[in-house]
Amino acid sequence: MEHESRSARQLWVDDEKGRQRMPDPVRNAAVRAVMITSVTLIQGVVAFYCSVAGSWLAFPMTVSSVASTIVATWSVLDVWITRQVWRQRNGVVSEPSSTARQLRRERRAEERAEERAEGRADGRKDGRTDGRADGRTEAARLSEAA
């Protein structure tokens, strides 16, 4: 009986984690970077052992290790660049926290209330404080203020 209940259950269950899976282009770049970096480290170790042993292979391995280090550095930068490009093209949604949003709403409401109070104190019936009631344009008001 216990054996039958085991077979009915799923073999693999995904746990929901806080981090989402990386996009495919970014993951591909990351895998590439890990592979290149590991080959570079192996080359460095082989170059070290060849130079300790006094082998003729020490110099070519050292030169290839230096070149691989440059390639590995670029591959790691490629991961970062690919990630940034992915974010720009596919739009990571950036939402402020609810606390920040609430504070901003309250601040705007206070500013509107102050503007309405100032508009009525000027004797305007509509409560407008944008300065267009006197017929001047925005450019005229800005040049006057300068």
Side-chain angles (χ1 to χ4, degrees):
M1 300 261 174
E2 187 176 320
H3 177 69
E4 292 174 6
S5 65
R6 280 188 194 172
S7 63
R9 289 188 297 172
Q10 271 186 316
L11 181 63
W12 186 271
V13 178
D14 287 333
D15 290 336
E16 293 297 325
K17 298 290 182 183
R19 298 183 76 172
Q20 293 180 346
R21 179 177 155 165
M22 283 191 292
D24 287 338
V26 179
R27 245 186 40 230
N28 291 342
V31 169
R32 235 184 351 260
V34 168
M35 299 287 284
I36 291 171
T37 304
S38 62
V39 168
T40 302
L41 290 173
I42 291 169
Q43 279 182 330
V45 170
V46 170
F48 172 76
Y49 285 135
C50 286
S51 56
V52 168
S55 172
W56 64 271
L57 199 57
F59 180 71
M61 286 302 293
T62 303
V63 170
S64 69
S65 293
V66 170
S68 292
T69 301
I70 294 168
V71 172
T73 303
W74 172 252
S75 68
V76 171
L77 284 174
D78 183 45
V79 174
W80 182 64
I81 291 167
T82 306
R83 186 171 149 259
Q84 295 301 324
V85 168
W86 176 265
R87 283 186 172 179
Q88 282 183 350
R89 288 187 181 163
N90 298 305
V92 172
V93 178
S94 176
E95 297 177 1
S97 67
S98 59
T99 309
R101 191 177 303 123
Q102 183 62 33
L103 291 174
R104 196 173 20 194
R105 283 182 188 150
E106 291 172 2
R107 189 174 59 240
R108 286 181 187 157
E110 289 173 4
E111 289 172 0
R112 285 187 201 117
E114 289 174 7
E115 287 175 359
R116 286 186 199 121
E118 290 172 5
R120 290 192 186 117
D122 291 344
R124 295 189 186 135
K125 294 179 184 176
D126 58 356
R128 289 173 55 181
T129 59
D130 58 357
R132 286 184 277 160
D134 59 355
R136 291 185 299 162
T137 63
E138 182 74 21
R141 278 187 280 116
L142 289 176
S143 64
E144 188 177 272

